[in-house]
Amino acid sequence: MRLNTQPHRPLCIILQDFALGGTEHVALTLARAWSEAGRAVTIFCGKAEGPLRPLIEGAPVRVVEAPGGIVRQRGSVARLGAAAARFLHAEPHHSCFIPGNYHWDAIPPIRRLPDGIRPKIVAQLSSPISKPQRRGLRKAGFRWKMRRLLRGIDTLVTMSDRQRPEAARILPDVTVRAIPLPCVPDGSAAPTMAEGRTIVAAGRLVAQKAFEDLISAFALLDDPDARLVIVGEGCERPQLEALVARLGLQDRVRLPGFAAEIRPALDAARLFVLSSHYEGYAAVIAQALAAGRPVVATDCTPATHELLGDDRFGMTVPIADPAALAQAMARMLAQPAPDPMLLAQAVERHRVGSAAEAYRALLDGTPARRPQAGWQPAWNTDAEPAQTAVSA
């Protein structure tokens, strides 16, 4: 899809670094799409390095690192926002994209830029507002954080229609729009019929992904021909390898490491499994369906409710329940492989081109909101102005 871009309206993306992560992947995917369509795109970052940097190699994207560099750590995003505000004051941009919850702390200094310099601010909500791990005071605190950091922005983008009404209630003075997660590449190969009995999972080898649950569930399968491949790298590799050995699965479970693209592993799979304890929208579910592979997933993301409603597409199981995970995998492997084109068509709305165009329309649409009374210049970024207390 050719975007209707306006080169004279430069766009700035605020990014901590090029670390592995869904938020970073989406931001860089959009940066590449916009720049290749003729849009002037700047990425202002704390550190211009990380394993996802190749996603924009060869694309006409300008990368600007904060003076002195800002390493990812506690408080680093607020400092990144202060540095970005100084940069945007010196080099005004028409609009500014804040990718995901992690980067919200960068918003206040940018929001306080003076009228005529302040860019239009579009921020992204990258994880559910309500989730099992966020109850009571944690839930109230998250909503307070939303009100404090997102007040005065122009648009908040949710990744699903289910999230939009709740976000709009919390931020009644902010425009809230839903745009499907841009995670299916344009022009990707047509899916093929699944064969064999290989189960694939993917993600960082960290506790959140619950690969210990997946390996334990796989051990319960009464299927000697089944194989499990977990694509990814991370700090839990030693524990996972020890579990595989303890269960005697060395010949049936592989951990091949990080892969820049998941599609080759999906093409070789019969089934994809997401075992996480919590996720944002979980782009990998849409990517698996686009490859024509059914999915078994824990109830860790809104994507399960939106994408796995049809039994042919997959199943949703409780979080942290290896027995239920094993039963679902066995059931899916026992069924005939579904029509891969049917699964792929279900996620067409997640194509990068259509999502990039939808974001472009928001970024280029209405003029930036005028700053509220009492704004401070970008160079006065040591503290946030006094806030009015808002009950959660």
Side-chain angles (χ1 to χ4, degrees), residues 27 37 52 94 144 150 155 160 167 175 177 221 227 248 279 295-296 302 310 344-345 362 366 373:
L52 292 185
H94 174 268
W144 174 81
L150 300 179
T155 306
S160 71
T175 299
R177 295 284 183 266
L221 278 182
R227 299 291 183 268
E279 289 286 349
V295 176
V296 170
D310 189 314
Q345 289 167 3
L362 290 180
T366 58

Side-chain angles (χ1 to χ4, degrees), residues 29-332:
T29 296
L30 290 172
R32 186 176 194 101
W34 291 327
S35 66
E36 290 183 342
R39 184 63 180 267
V41 178
T42 299
I43 295 176
F44 186 88
C45 57
K47 295 294 290 185
E49 57 189 35
L52 292 185
R53 180 69 186 258
L55 288 177
I56 57 167
E57 282 185 0
V61 177
R62 179 189 181 199
V63 176
V64 178
E65 184 176 285
I70 299 174
V71 177
R72 183 180 293 243
Q73 59 185 328
R74 186 177 181 85
S76 62
V77 179
R79 292 191 291 118
L80 175 65
R86 290 190 288 270
F87 168 73
L88 292 169
H89 192 279
E91 296 188 34
H93 284 59
H94 174 268
S95 49
C96 183
F97 178 53
I98 309 295
N101 306 24
Y102 176 80
H103 292 92
W104 287 354
D105 283 294
I107 293 174
I110 299 170
R111 186 179 61 211
R112 295 196 299 266
L113 285 168
D115 193 15
I117 293 178
R118 177 200 183 282
K120 180 175 184 180
I121 302 173
V122 174
Q124 183 188 67
L125 175 65
S126 57
S127 70
I129 298 171
S130 299
K131 56 184 182 180
Q133 297 82 5
R134 189 181 290 141
R135 295 192 179 103
L137 291 176
R138 289 187 65 188
K139 182 177 180 179
F142 183 78
R143 291 168 182 248
W144 174 81
K145 178 180 178 180
M146 285 186 67
R147 295 186 182 104
R148 180 176 70 86
L149 296 177
L150 300 179
R151 65 180 178 86
I153 69 169
D154 298 277
T155 306
L156 176 67
V157 176
T158 68
M159 296 188 186
S160 71
D161 284 323
R162 287 174 177 264
Q163 295 176 310
R164 188 174 59 80
E166 187 175 12
R169 287 193 296 271
I170 296 170
L171 300 167
D173 297 327
V174 173
T175 299
V176 182
R177 295 284 183 266
I179 298 177
L181 184 67
C183 57
V184 178
D186 297 317
S188 54
T192 57
M193 183 65 71
E195 298 178 350
R197 306 189 71 74
T198 298
I199 299 167
V200 167
R204 290 172 294 124
L205 305 184
V206 295
Q208 170 197 341
K209 305 298 182 180
F211 289 131
E212 287 192 359
D213 290 349
L214 175 56
I215 294 170
S216 298
F218 182 77
L220 298 175
L221 278 182
D222 184 17
D223 188 341
D225 294 325
R227 299 291 183 268
L228 174 62
V229 177
I230 302 175
V231 180
E233 196 53 78
C235 60
E236 290 214 333
R237 172 177 285 276
Q239 296 95 307
L240 297 177
E241 290 177 337
L243 178 60
V244 169
R246 188 163 64 248
L247 295 174
L249 298 172
Q250 299 95 318
D251 294 335
R252 300 175 57 208
V253 176
R254 292 179 54 236
L255 285 78
F258 170 73
E261 295 292 338
I262 187 62
R263 181 60 186 266
L266 291 170
D267 286 340
R270 170 64 178 80
L271 175 68
F272 180 82
V273 177
L274 179 70
S275 56
S276 297
H277 290 158
Y278 59 93
E279 289 286 349
Y281 193 80
V284 71
I285 293 180
Q287 292 167 345
L289 293 173
R293 302 299 177 255
V295 176
V296 170
T298 57
D299 191 9
C300 63
T301 167
T304 60
H305 301 283
E306 295 193 2
L307 300 177
L308 302 182
D310 189 314
D311 288 345
R312 294 170 295 180
F313 296 176
M315 297 178 61
T316 303
V317 300
I319 295 169
D321 189 339
L325 196 58
Q327 291 172 5
M329 291 191 294
R331 177 177 168 183
M332 295 303 298

